[in-house]
Amino acid sequence: MAARAGAGAGGDDDIPLLDDLMPWSVRPLRTGRPWVTAPDTASLKARWARLVRAEGAERERLFGPTRSRGPQTPVAALPGQSTSTARFARESGPCPEPVRILHGPFDEQWLIPDHRLIDAARPELWRVADGHQLFAVEHGYVPQDAGPALSVTALLPDGHSPAGRPGRIRPLYRRPGGLEPNLAPGLLGLLRAWHGDAVTAESVLAWIVTAARHSPAGCVVPLPADTARWWAGVELGRELLRLQLRGARGGERPRLPGGRRPYVRAAVPAAPGTLEYDPDDEALLLGTGRISPVPAGAWEFRVGGVRMLELWFERRASADGADGLAAIRPRDWPREWTSELLELITVLALLTELRPRQQALADGPQLTTDALRAAGVLPVTATARRPASVLDHQEEGPDGQFALL
């Protein structure tokens, strides 16, 4: 489509902020105690069992009280969870079934979904987390960071940032069931006027994943004025989403072509103490274990300047510095972790291969912030920045009382 009024080259000051395009955002979760998350479910259940066996001062010590939570703190139930709301000091039952979460970028872990154990669980996220929801998670800003500005997950994200200040969590939908897109009012209409009626909330998210980049003011998203570049970016964004979702929402799990898939060449030992990379052989060395081929792009994949493979390994390989319940962890390296590592290598390798296509779409005529103001999309209304009212049933408050909503 030829450039029209409102299209321009677009310096950084002219580029819309993600905060304006997806205006409702939620701060990262704050667990308050490290032992409520783990890379495996067995450790969480063992920690819970140890805690509920303890009594009095010992339970208090193991719990790890903070200003927000202690064994005597009255707390409402998490939306969608059937855990007890009795004060934890009286708890004696089994561990709630852990839920899969995204712990920071690209690291899938587990969480005990009990509101009594989490300082700031962000209930508004739990209310809209369902089989239709996707979450865009901003990565903390670090100067000269060449890594991705955000990632997307179908899991509940905790928003943890490996470096820099934490970003925000932005659900794609404001209501359960894939209802009411979390987009600036009028944005869909404007984009449909420029690029056709096929523009949907999902295609906007796909473009955002393709084009988002860091800036000191926050994550910015150039919006193309030319339709061919828009749809090329949407197509690429759908591929990026498929990789990051790892088979969720009925998609295919990521796979590298035959001959380039990573395999275990030497078994990972029970306690791999180190992680190293051999660039000549494209091999990842976990102690005496060996995985190859591992492309250099996967090894060098960083968010906020932090290598994702190193961070993933450090969270699993060492108990140094862990105390109390957090020290309860697998005695030997589980086979499941090796399978998860192979998939993570695959995801990072494929994402790296797509970076040149992302960069090729970066330049061209843009819909500037002035164009969005002229169309009435900006400034965003205060209502759009607040969560929608999605309560269709009573939620249980502390000690079994109904919450006052």
Side-chain angles (χ1 to χ4, degrees):
M1 177 182 291
R4 301 183 302 205
D12 272 3
D13 291 343
D14 294 329
I15 301 175
L17 290 166
L18 179 62
D19 189 54
D20 287 332
L21 302 183
M22 298 183 72
W24 175 43
S25 67
V26 180
R27 288 179 294 172
L29 276 63
R30 189 177 74 250
T31 60
R33 47 202 53 79
W35 59 266
V36 299
T37 60
D40 67 298
T41 59
S43 294
L44 293 178
K45 293 178 179 180
R47 293 169 186 178
W48 175 284
R50 173 70 182 87
L51 180 61
V52 298
R53 286 198 305 268
E55 298 179 354
E58 176 68 0
R59 178 175 288 204
E60 181 99 1
R61 183 187 68 81
L62 290 172
F63 186 96
T66 60
R67 292 177 61 185
S68 299
R69 292 289 186 275
Q72 296 288 351
T73 305
V75 182
L78 274 177
Q81 303 297 316
S82 57
T83 52
S84 173
T85 59
R87 303 186 187 214
F88 199 88
R90 304 197 295 268
E91 180 61 65
S92 61
C95 180
E97 195 61 34
V99 297
R100 196 70 157 158
I101 65 166
L102 188 71
H103 179 46
F106 303 105
D107 189 354
E108 296 186 357
Q109 295 205 18
W110 298 91
L111 168 72
I112 300 176
D114 193 313
H115 208 178
R116 299 171 297 177
L117 308 180
I118 305 171
D119 278 11
R122 314 303 180 201
E124 59 270 41
L125 287 180
W126 295 76
R127 289 190 183 103
V128 299
D130 64 7
H132 301 273
Q133 188 65 268
L134 296 175
F135 298 96
V137 185
E138 291 180 60
H139 302 156
Y141 173 71
V142 176
Q144 285 78 53
D145 182 10
L150 58 79
S151 55
V152 176
T153 179
L155 301 174
L156 184 82
D158 64 10
H160 177 79
S161 179
R165 64 176 185 264
R168 308 278 292 191
I169 302 168
R170 300 181 189 276
L172 178 57
Y173 298 105
R174 292 165 51 81
R175 300 178 186 275
L179 302 177
E180 193 177 334
N182 178 26
L183 299 173
L187 179 61
L188 266 181
L190 176 65
L191 293 173
R192 285 169 177 164
W194 280 78
H195 304 310
D197 291 341
V199 175
T200 64
E202 291 83 356
S203 58
V204 174
L205 179 63
W207 172 263
I208 288 172
V209 172
T210 295
R213 65 180 191 236
H214 296 287
S215 87
C219 181
V220 294
V221 183
L223 294 176
D226 48 315
T227 296
R229 188 160 60 99
W230 165 266
W231 288 112
V234 169
E235 180 183 3
L236 175 57
R238 286 171 176 156
E239 178 65 9
L240 293 167
L241 287 171
R242 184 186 69 82
L243 295 176
Q244 295 188 36
L245 297 182
R246 306 191 198 185
R249 305 294 184 264
E252 297 180 2
R253 300 198 77 88
R255 297 183 67 185
L256 282 160
R260 295 178 49 224
R261 294 173 193 158
Y263 288 98
V264 178
R265 310 296 178 176
V268 179
T274 59
L275 180 72
E276 298 177 347
Y277 181 67
D278 182 343
D280 295 330
D281 290 341
E282 291 192 315
L284 197 63
L285 311 175
L286 296 84
T288 59
R290 187 180 187 89
I291 296 174
S292 69
V294 176
W299 170 248
E300 289 294 341
F301 196 103
R302 301 170 189 251
V303 175
V306 178
R307 282 195 183 102
M308 290 295 95
L309 289 178
E310 284 186 318
L311 181 61
W312 185 94
F313 177 79
E314 289 168 4
R315 289 170 172 168
R316 290 159 175 79
S318 175
D320 293 345
D323 59 6
L325 296 176
I328 299 176
R329 50 196 297 130
R331 297 174 61 181
D332 297 331
W333 183 273
R335 294 179 60 185
E336 292 81 6
W337 288 1
T338 302
S339 298
E340 292 174 14
L341 177 57
L342 292 173
E343 182 171 79
L344 179 58
I345 292 168
T346 300
V347 169
L348 299 183
L350 291 170
L351 289 175
T352 300
E353 290 180 359
L354 295 175
R355 289 303 293 276
R357 288 176 58 190
Q358 289 180 262
Q359 293 165 355
L361 291 166
D363 297 326
Q366 297 176 18
L367 293 173
T368 64
T369 53
D370 283 343
L372 270 59
R373 290 190 189 97
V377 175
L378 297 181
V380 178
T381 63
T383 302
R385 297 192 183 280
R386 294 193 294 265
S389 176
V390 300
L391 300 175
D392 56 4
H393 64 281
Q394 288 181 308
E395 294 179 4
E396 187 175 331
D399 291 316
Q401 302 297 315
F402 284 120
L404 296 176
L405 304 170

